[in-house]
Amino acid sequence: MCGSPRVRSRTITSAHFSDRTIRIVECRVCGFIGIPKGRSSYHDVTDLDEIRVRTSGTVRVGTHETPGREYQMARMAVDILARRDPVDVLVYGAGRSVDNVHIARLDGVDHVAIGDIVRLRDDADFVDVGRPSSGRRFHVVIASEVVEHFREPRADFDTLFSFVASDGLLVCGTNVYGGWRLSKDRYPFFHDHTAYYSPESLLRIATRAGYRIDFRPTGLSRGRKRYVLLSRSERVMSRVACYFGTRTYAPSEARPEPEPGTPRAPRRETS
Protein backbone atom coordinates (compact mmCIF):
# COMPACT_ATOMS: atom_id res chain seq x y z
CA MET A 1 0.00 0.00 0.00
CA CYS A 2 2.61 2.55 1.05
CA GLY A 3 5.54 0.91 -0.69
CA SER A 4 7.39 -0.02 2.49
CA PRO A 5 9.25 -3.37 2.56
CA ARG A 6 8.47 -3.68 6.27
CA VAL A 7 5.65 -6.20 5.98
CA ARG A 8 4.90 -9.50 7.66
CA SER A 9 2.73 -12.39 6.61
CA ARG A 10 0.83 -14.55 9.08
CA THR A 11 -2.15 -16.86 9.37
CA ILE A 12 -5.07 -16.06 11.66
CA THR A 13 -7.99 -18.21 12.79
CA SER A 14 -11.24 -16.49 13.68
CA ALA A 15 -12.43 -16.59 17.28
CA HIS A 16 -16.02 -16.26 15.98
CA PHE A 17 -16.00 -18.58 12.95
CA SER A 18 -14.25 -21.83 13.86
CA ASP A 19 -13.94 -22.89 10.22
CA ARG A 20 -12.41 -19.65 8.91
CA THR A 21 -8.68 -19.07 8.62
CA ILE A 22 -7.06 -16.35 6.56
CA ARG A 23 -3.55 -15.38 5.53
CA ILE A 24 -2.82 -11.68 5.88
CA VAL A 25 0.00 -9.38 4.87
CA GLU A 26 0.43 -6.55 7.36
CA CYS A 27 2.39 -3.34 6.79
CA ARG A 28 4.32 -2.27 9.87
CA VAL A 29 4.54 1.31 8.63
CA CYS A 30 1.02 2.34 7.55
CA GLY A 31 -0.92 -0.47 9.25
CA PHE A 32 -2.70 -1.70 6.13
CA ILE A 33 -3.95 -5.31 6.22
CA GLY A 34 -4.01 -7.15 2.90
CA ILE A 35 -6.00 -10.39 2.68
CA PRO A 36 -4.86 -12.08 -0.54
CA LYS A 37 -7.62 -13.89 -2.41
CA GLY A 38 -8.23 -14.91 -5.98
CA ARG A 39 -10.49 -13.33 -8.56
CA SER A 40 -13.71 -11.95 -7.10
CA SER A 41 -16.73 -14.18 -7.65
CA TYR A 42 -18.68 -10.98 -8.32
CA HIS A 43 -17.24 -10.85 -11.86
CA ASP A 44 -19.14 -14.04 -12.66
CA VAL A 45 -22.52 -12.93 -11.29
CA THR A 46 -25.28 -12.99 -13.89
CA ASP A 47 -28.32 -12.29 -11.70
CA LEU A 48 -28.99 -9.92 -8.82
CA ASP A 49 -30.25 -12.78 -6.66
CA GLU A 50 -26.74 -14.25 -6.71
CA ILE A 51 -25.36 -11.27 -4.77
CA ARG A 52 -25.09 -12.05 -1.09
CA VAL A 53 -25.86 -9.25 1.34
CA ARG A 54 -25.07 -9.15 5.05
CA THR A 55 -27.62 -6.84 6.66
CA SER A 56 -26.98 -7.35 10.42
CA GLY A 57 -30.66 -6.82 11.13
CA THR A 58 -30.81 -3.37 9.49
CA VAL A 59 -32.08 -2.24 6.12
CA ARG A 60 -28.65 -1.64 4.61
CA VAL A 61 -29.58 -2.26 0.99
CA GLY A 62 -32.23 0.06 -0.35
CA THR A 63 -35.44 -1.42 -1.75
CA HIS A 64 -38.20 0.30 -3.71
CA GLU A 65 -40.13 0.64 -0.44
CA THR A 66 -37.36 1.53 2.02
CA PRO A 67 -34.25 3.70 1.53
CA GLY A 68 -30.99 2.10 2.62
CA ARG A 69 -27.50 3.22 3.59
CA GLU A 70 -26.49 4.62 0.21
CA TYR A 71 -29.49 6.94 0.28
CA GLN A 72 -28.43 8.27 3.68
CA MET A 73 -24.85 8.74 2.48
CA ALA A 74 -26.01 10.65 -0.59
CA ARG A 75 -28.45 12.78 1.41
CA MET A 76 -25.61 13.75 3.72
CA ALA A 77 -23.27 14.55 0.81
CA VAL A 78 -25.85 16.72 -0.97
CA ASP A 79 -26.47 18.64 2.26
CA ILE A 80 -22.73 19.13 2.76
CA LEU A 81 -22.16 20.46 -0.76
CA ALA A 82 -25.24 22.71 -0.59
CA ARG A 83 -24.74 23.71 -4.21
CA ARG A 84 -27.05 26.22 -5.84
CA ASP A 85 -27.00 24.22 -9.06
CA PRO A 86 -28.28 20.60 -9.10
CA VAL A 87 -25.77 17.79 -8.57
CA ASP A 88 -25.09 14.54 -10.38
CA VAL A 89 -24.66 11.46 -8.17
CA LEU A 90 -22.94 8.13 -8.86
CA VAL A 91 -23.67 5.08 -6.70
CA TYR A 92 -20.40 3.18 -7.15
CA GLY A 93 -20.82 -0.59 -6.76
CA ALA A 94 -24.60 -0.43 -6.49
CA GLY A 95 -25.19 -4.19 -6.50
CA ARG A 96 -28.74 -4.99 -5.40
CA SER A 97 -29.47 -1.55 -3.97
CA VAL A 98 -32.13 0.57 -5.64
CA ASP A 99 -31.31 3.60 -3.52
CA ASN A 100 -30.70 5.48 -6.77
CA VAL A 101 -34.50 5.77 -7.04
CA HIS A 102 -34.74 7.48 -3.65
CA ILE A 103 -31.64 9.63 -4.21
CA ALA A 104 -33.15 10.99 -7.43
CA ARG A 105 -36.03 12.44 -5.38
CA LEU A 106 -33.74 14.50 -3.13
CA ASP A 107 -33.89 18.26 -3.45
CA GLY A 108 -30.84 19.48 -5.30
CA VAL A 109 -30.22 16.26 -7.25
CA ASP A 110 -30.36 16.45 -11.02
CA HIS A 111 -29.33 12.95 -12.11
CA VAL A 112 -28.29 9.63 -10.55
CA ALA A 113 -26.24 6.88 -12.20
CA ILE A 114 -25.31 3.43 -10.92
CA GLY A 115 -21.84 2.02 -11.41
CA ASP A 116 -20.63 -1.57 -11.27
CA ILE A 117 -18.17 -3.98 -12.83
CA VAL A 118 -20.99 -6.08 -14.29
CA ARG A 119 -24.27 -4.81 -15.71
CA LEU A 120 -27.19 -6.53 -14.00
CA ARG A 121 -29.86 -3.83 -14.36
CA ASP A 122 -31.39 -1.91 -17.25
CA ASP A 123 -33.60 0.40 -15.18
CA ALA A 124 -31.00 3.14 -14.57
CA ASP A 125 -28.14 5.01 -16.20
CA PHE A 126 -25.26 2.53 -15.98
CA VAL A 127 -21.56 3.38 -15.68
CA ASP A 128 -18.87 0.74 -16.16
CA VAL A 129 -16.50 1.21 -13.20
CA GLY A 130 -14.28 -1.67 -14.21
CA ARG A 131 -12.00 0.86 -15.88
CA PRO A 132 -11.10 4.52 -15.20
CA SER A 133 -13.55 7.18 -16.34
CA SER A 134 -13.08 8.46 -19.86
CA GLY A 135 -14.12 11.93 -18.76
CA ARG A 136 -17.45 11.67 -17.01
CA ARG A 137 -17.36 13.18 -13.50
CA PHE A 138 -19.90 13.41 -10.66
CA HIS A 139 -20.38 15.95 -7.87
CA VAL A 140 -21.22 13.14 -5.41
CA VAL A 141 -19.85 9.60 -5.54
CA ILE A 142 -21.05 7.03 -3.00
CA ALA A 143 -19.12 3.79 -2.44
CA SER A 144 -20.74 1.79 0.35
CA GLU A 145 -19.03 -1.48 1.35
CA VAL A 146 -16.90 -1.42 -1.80
CA VAL A 147 -13.29 -0.48 -1.01
CA GLU A 148 -12.71 -3.50 1.26
CA HIS A 149 -13.15 -5.67 -1.85
CA PHE A 150 -10.34 -3.98 -3.79
CA ARG A 151 -7.67 -6.44 -5.00
CA GLU A 152 -5.22 -3.69 -5.98
CA PRO A 153 -6.15 -0.83 -3.63
CA ARG A 154 -3.88 1.86 -5.06
CA ALA A 155 -4.95 1.24 -8.66
CA ASP A 156 -8.58 0.62 -7.70
CA PHE A 157 -8.74 3.86 -5.73
CA ASP A 158 -7.30 5.71 -8.73
CA THR A 159 -10.18 4.34 -10.80
CA LEU A 160 -12.68 5.41 -8.14
CA PHE A 161 -11.15 8.90 -7.93
CA SER A 162 -11.41 9.29 -11.71
CA PHE A 163 -15.21 9.60 -11.43
CA VAL A 164 -15.16 12.46 -8.86
CA ALA A 165 -15.44 16.08 -9.99
CA SER A 166 -12.64 18.43 -8.91
CA ASP A 167 -15.02 20.16 -6.48
CA GLY A 168 -16.97 16.97 -5.73
CA LEU A 169 -17.27 14.77 -2.67
CA LEU A 170 -16.52 11.05 -2.43
CA VAL A 171 -18.05 9.13 0.49
CA CYS A 172 -16.81 5.60 1.17
CA GLY A 173 -18.34 3.39 3.86
CA THR A 174 -16.09 0.75 5.42
CA ASN A 175 -14.74 -0.52 8.73
CA VAL A 176 -11.42 1.03 9.70
CA TYR A 177 -8.72 -1.02 11.46
CA GLY A 178 -7.45 0.32 14.77
CA GLY A 179 -4.77 -2.17 15.73
CA TRP A 180 -6.84 -4.60 17.81
CA ARG A 181 -6.56 -8.41 17.71
CA LEU A 182 -7.68 -9.53 14.28
CA SER A 183 -8.74 -12.98 15.47
CA LYS A 184 -11.56 -11.33 17.44
CA ASP A 185 -12.58 -9.07 14.56
CA ARG A 186 -15.22 -10.50 12.22
CA TYR A 187 -14.58 -8.04 9.39
CA PRO A 188 -11.47 -9.52 7.75
CA PHE A 189 -13.09 -12.98 7.70
CA PHE A 190 -16.13 -11.91 5.67
CA HIS A 191 -16.51 -13.33 2.19
CA ASP A 192 -14.42 -11.50 -0.41
CA HIS A 193 -12.93 -8.90 1.94
CA THR A 194 -9.39 -8.32 0.70
CA ALA A 195 -8.38 -4.92 2.10
CA TYR A 196 -8.61 -3.68 5.69
CA TYR A 197 -7.51 -0.07 5.93
CA SER A 198 -5.93 1.78 8.81
CA PRO A 199 -6.46 5.56 8.98
CA GLU A 200 -2.81 6.06 8.01
CA SER A 201 -3.07 3.87 4.91
CA LEU A 202 -6.17 5.76 3.71
CA LEU A 203 -4.43 9.07 4.40
CA ARG A 204 -1.53 7.97 2.20
CA ILE A 205 -3.90 6.96 -0.61
CA ALA A 206 -5.68 10.31 -0.41
CA THR A 207 -2.53 12.42 -0.22
CA ARG A 208 -0.91 10.63 -3.16
CA ALA A 209 -3.96 11.45 -5.31
CA GLY A 210 -4.25 15.07 -4.14
CA TYR A 211 -7.26 14.50 -1.89
CA ARG A 212 -8.08 15.73 1.59
CA ILE A 213 -9.65 13.20 3.93
CA ASP A 214 -11.98 13.02 6.93
CA PHE A 215 -13.38 10.11 8.99
CA ARG A 216 -16.82 10.12 10.61
CA PRO A 217 -18.50 7.42 12.75
CA THR A 218 -21.98 6.07 12.03
CA GLY A 219 -22.71 4.25 15.28
CA LEU A 220 -22.66 0.89 13.45
CA SER A 221 -20.49 -2.23 13.87
CA ARG A 222 -19.27 -1.65 17.43
CA GLY A 223 -18.11 1.81 16.47
CA ARG A 224 -15.68 0.60 13.76
CA LYS A 225 -17.78 1.64 10.79
CA ARG A 226 -16.64 4.92 9.25
CA TYR A 227 -17.66 7.13 6.43
CA VAL A 228 -14.44 8.19 4.73
CA LEU A 229 -15.04 11.57 3.08
CA LEU A 230 -12.62 12.75 0.41
CA SER A 231 -12.38 15.79 -1.83
CA ARG A 232 -9.75 17.75 -3.69
CA SER A 233 -11.51 20.95 -2.63
CA GLU A 234 -10.54 22.74 0.58
CA ARG A 235 -13.91 24.49 0.58
CA VAL A 236 -15.79 21.19 0.41
CA MET A 237 -13.79 19.72 3.29
CA SER A 238 -14.44 22.85 5.34
CA ARG A 239 -18.14 22.23 4.78
CA VAL A 240 -17.66 18.63 5.97
CA ALA A 241 -16.19 19.97 9.23
CA CYS A 242 -19.06 22.44 9.68
CA TYR A 243 -21.69 19.79 8.94
CA PHE A 244 -20.35 17.56 11.70
CA GLY A 245 -19.83 20.42 14.12
CA THR A 246 -23.41 19.80 15.31
CA ARG A 247 -23.77 16.07 14.67
CA THR A 248 -22.47 13.12 16.66
CA TYR A 249 -22.96 10.50 13.95
CA ALA A 250 -23.10 10.38 10.19
CA PRO A 251 -26.57 9.35 8.95
CA SER A 252 -27.01 5.65 8.23
CA GLU A 253 -29.85 3.16 8.08
CA ALA A 254 -29.52 2.81 11.87
CA ARG A 255 -29.42 6.58 12.49
CA PRO A 256 -31.27 8.05 9.51
CA GLU A 257 -32.14 11.49 10.86
CA PRO A 258 -30.09 14.35 12.30
CA GLU A 259 -30.24 14.69 16.06
CA PRO A 260 -33.16 16.79 17.37
CA GLY A 261 -32.59 20.51 16.98
CA THR A 262 -29.69 20.06 14.58
CA PRO A 263 -29.66 22.72 11.84
CA ARG A 264 -28.81 21.95 8.25
CA ALA A 265 -25.44 23.02 6.95
CA PRO A 266 -25.69 26.65 5.81
CA ARG A 267 -26.11 27.37 2.14
CA ARG A 268 -23.10 28.78 0.32
CA GLU A 269 -23.25 32.54 0.02
CA THR A 270 -22.19 34.43 -3.06
CA SER A 271 -20.87 37.98 -3.12
Side-chain angles (χ1 to χ4, degrees), residues 11-24:
T11 300
I12 300 174
T13 300
S14 173
H16 302 282
F17 310 107
S18 59
D19 60 337
R20 298 188 192 180
T21 298
I22 56 173
R23 182 175 69 87
I24 69 163

Side-chain angles (χ1 to χ4, degrees), residues 20-63:
R20 298 188 192 180
T21 298
I22 56 173
R23 182 175 69 87
I24 69 163
V25 179
E26 180 179 7
C27 179
R28 298 193 180 200
V29 175
C30 72
F32 174 76
I33 303 292
I35 311 163
K37 293 178 182 175
R39 172 185 166 92
S40 172
S41 58
Y42 192 80
H43 287 82
D44 302 318
V45 170
T46 58
D47 187 272
L48 285 174
D49 290 335
E50 297 178 39
I51 301 176
R52 292 188 289 174
V53 176
R54 184 177 182 274
T55 60
S56 302
T58 62
V59 185
R60 192 192 101 192
V61 177
T63 65

Side-chain angles (χ1 to χ4, degrees), residues 208-248:
R208 185 177 64 89
Y211 277 78
R212 300 167 185 266
I213 190 170
D214 200 325
F215 300 87
R216 297 293 169 168
T218 66
L220 294 167
S221 300
R222 299 181 176 88
R224 296 173 184 172
K225 185 69 64 185
R226 291 291 183 275
Y227 287 170
V228 186
L229 299 102
L230 304 108
S231 180
R232 296 184 182 94
S233 167
E234 181 179 359
R235 184 190 69 82
V236 169
M237 296 311 290
S238 293
R239 295 196 62 82
V240 169
C242 289
Y243 179 90
F244 285 104
T246 54
R247 292 163 172 82
T248 303

Side-chain angles (χ1 to χ4, degrees), residues 43-266:
H43 287 82
D44 302 318
V45 170
T46 58
D47 187 272
L48 285 174
D49 290 335
E50 297 178 39
I51 301 176
R52 292 188 289 174
V53 176
R54 184 177 182 274
T55 60
S56 302
T58 62
V59 185
R60 192 192 101 192
V61 177
T63 65
H64 285 286
E65 294 76 25
T66 307
R69 185 181 303 169
E70 286 152 324
Y71 167 79
Q72 303 298 344
M73 296 168 76
R75 181 170 67 91
M76 174 193 70
V78 171
D79 280 351
I80 288 172
L81 290 182
R83 295 175 62 98
R84 291 189 179 278
D85 52 324
V87 304
D88 291 335
V89 180
L90 172 63
V91 181
Y92 194 98
R96 296 184 62 171
S97 174
V98 292
D99 268 339
N100 59 293
V101 174
H102 303 287
I103 295 170
R105 298 174 183 146
L106 287 170
D107 290 340
V109 171
D110 179 47
H111 183 76
V112 184
I114 59 172
D116 228 318
I117 57 176
V118 290
R119 182 166 192 162
L120 299 174
R121 294 166 52 188
D122 295 316
D123 60 341
D125 179 15
F126 178 81
V127 175
D128 180 3
V129 299
R131 64 194 67 182
S133 171
S134 59
R136 190 173 184 186
R137 304 286 191 271
F138 296 84
H139 303 109
V140 173
V141 178
I142 302 300
S144 176
E145 307 300 319
V146 171
V147 299
E148 62 270 23
H149 298 281
F150 283 171
R151 261 57 179 178
E152 300 290 340
R154 291 176 65 167
D156 291 337
F157 260 104
D158 284 345
T159 298
L160 175 55
F161 289 148
S162 73
F163 289 94
V164 186
S166 60
D167 59 348
L169 179 61
L170 166 63
V171 186
C172 302
T174 191
N175 280 25
V176 174
Y177 178 53
W180 41 75
R181 289 182 60 183
L182 288 171
S183 62
K184 293 188 176 182
D185 189 343
R186 299 172 185 267
Y187 205 67
F189 293 92
F190 289 164
H191 173 71
D192 211 34
H193 282 193
T194 53
Y196 201 4
Y197 304 91
S198 66
E200 175 66 20
S201 63
L202 286 167
L203 175 62
R204 287 173 181 260
I205 291 171
T207 302
R208 185 177 64 89
Y211 277 78
R212 300 167 185 266
I213 190 170
D214 200 325
F215 300 87
R216 297 293 169 168
T218 66
L220 294 167
S221 300
R222 299 181 176 88
R224 296 173 184 172
K225 185 69 64 185
R226 291 291 183 275
Y227 287 170
V228 186
L229 299 102
L230 304 108
S231 180
R232 296 184 182 94
S233 167
E234 181 179 359
R235 184 190 69 82
V236 169
M237 296 311 290
S238 293
R239 295 196 62 82
V240 169
C242 289
Y243 179 90
F244 285 104
T246 54
R247 292 163 172 82
T248 303
Y249 295 104
S252 68
E253 70 278 17
R255 297 176 182 272
E257 298 299 330
E259 296 173 0
T262 300
R264 283 171 54 97

